[in-house]
Amino acid sequence: MEDVAIIVRGLRKSYGGSLVLDGVSLEIPRGSIVGIVGPNGCGKSTLLRILAGVEDYDEGVVEVRGRPALVPQETILLPWRTLRGNIMLAAKIRRVPREVAEKRMLEAASILGLTDYLNMYPREVSGGTARKASILMALVLLPDILLLDEPFTGLDRDSIAALQETIARLRRAYKLTVVVVSHMLDELYSLSERIFVMSHRPSKIVRIEEGAGLRFNLRASKG
Ligand SMILES: Nc1ncnc2c1ncn2[C@@H]1O[C@H](COP(=O)(O)OP(=O)(O)OP(=O)(O)O)[C@@H](O)[C@H]1O
Ligand SMILES: [Mg+2]
């Protein structure tokens, strides 16, 4: 039997009486990269926040076997702190020992290509670099499950491809289970081994697709 990192069964969630998630069920194998795709407003971010443990729900089973870290849809970098300052503050708030966080930050920054940007302020870097900094902010929390909410939004084609390769490398380096949410199937297809397709709200999983992720991740692990 497959080792499973996340199990969701019959998940229901509403906001103020208005139903968003109407019985979402899925299983995510440990160590895999999966995608979740669905139209705007169907509840993808809500689902990801529930998996991260920062949002409650009304009904169903949610089992997250491991330590999740969420990279939110909107970047949350404080403008008056450098990237390094932002990242180390996140570690401090979550009580990751300073030396451990520092070591992880430097190591993961080199995989992300962020080493030369750590002393810059958010306004001095591009959107893509800020996006990578918020991924780094999640990685210093030492997660084994990385939850990425729309990581490709606003990036050009080359940057999307580069970020996909980087995500695959991070997964391998830190033995992560990775869940990527997007409203574009194309962006998920090459990276993900499996893609869960959500309906309009009130939403359910309507289809599961095989992605090209297995081949992609093998290639990325050789490169
Ligand atoms: N805190 C909240 N209070 C009330 N309604 C909310 C809240 N958060 C989300 N919603 C509503 O729940 C629905 C799902 O929102 P969510 O952000 O999860 O969708 P999404 O699929 O991530 O959308 P997008 O593709 O735009 O990122 C939307 O109709 C949204 O307006
Ligand atoms: Mg969203």
Side-chain angles (χ1 to χ4, degrees):
M1 207 186 71
E2 235 172 16
D3 185 11
V4 176
I6 295 176
I7 299 176
V8 176
R9 288 207 190 96
L11 175 62
R12 289 164 71 89
K13 163 80 181 172
S14 43
Y15 289 109
S18 156
L19 192 59
V20 176
L21 303 176
D22 183 20
V24 168
S25 299
L26 49 81
E27 278 193 11
I28 299 177
R30 186 174 307 285
S32 63
I33 301 190
V34 306
I36 298 176
V37 69
N40 283 131
C42 77
K44 301 180 297 296
S45 295
T46 300
L47 174 59
L48 219 53
R49 286 200 305 267
I50 291 172
L51 296 179
V54 299
E55 178 98 69
D56 59 10
Y57 52 97
D58 305 324
E59 248 180 75
V61 174
V62 177
E63 256 186 68
V64 178
R65 300 173 180 166
R67 193 174 155 93
L70 175 66
V71 181
Q73 188 164 358
E74 313 294 339
T75 53
I76 43 160
L77 300 170
L78 301 173
W80 57 86
R81 281 177 175 259
T82 61
L83 300 189
R84 175 194 294 270
N86 271 283
I87 290 156
M88 291 305 290
L89 178 63
K92 185 176 178 185
I93 290 170
R94 297 284 288 273
R95 298 202 162 79
V96 178
R98 201 185 157 75
E99 314 73 62
V100 177
E102 181 98 26
K103 178 166 179 283
R104 168 62 69 95
M105 176 183 70
L106 294 175
E107 190 185 271
S110 112
I111 299 176
L112 283 157
L114 279 181
T115 308
D116 294 339
Y117 298 92
L118 289 176
N119 291 328
M120 294 188 178
Y121 288 87
R123 66 169 183 281
E124 298 175 312
V125 304
S126 70
T129 299
R131 186 73 48 79
K132 287 193 266 181
S134 46
I135 296 175
L136 187 52
M137 201 183 234
L139 289 170
V140 296
L141 308 180
L142 313 176
D144 35 44
I145 300 173
L146 187 63
L147 307 168
L148 299 164
D149 198 349
E150 306 272 6
F152 307 119
T153 304
L155 303 184
D156 61 40
R157 282 173 70 95
D158 288 350
S159 305
I160 290 174
L163 186 55
Q164 288 172 331
E165 297 263 356
T166 303
I167 291 168
R169 286 180 64 198
L170 290 170
R171 178 193 70 139
R172 196 165 55 97
Y174 299 118
K175 298 184 169 35
L176 300 168
T177 303
V178 181
V179 183
V180 188
V181 157
S182 169
H183 59 282
M184 306 255 298
L185 186 59
D186 286 359
E187 294 171 345
L188 292 178
Y189 180 78
S190 63
L191 178 66
S192 313
E193 290 154 14
R194 196 178 286 182
I195 301 155
F196 297 94
V197 183
M198 293 172 79
S199 62
H200 281 279
R201 75 176 275 200
S203 58
K204 295 180 190 318
I205 305 294
V206 287
R207 206 166 73 239
I208 301 176
E209 299 212 1
E210 293 301 311
L214 273 178
R215 266 178 291 143
F216 180 89
N217 294 319
L218 268 175
R219 203 182 69 219
S221 73
K222 283 188 193 122

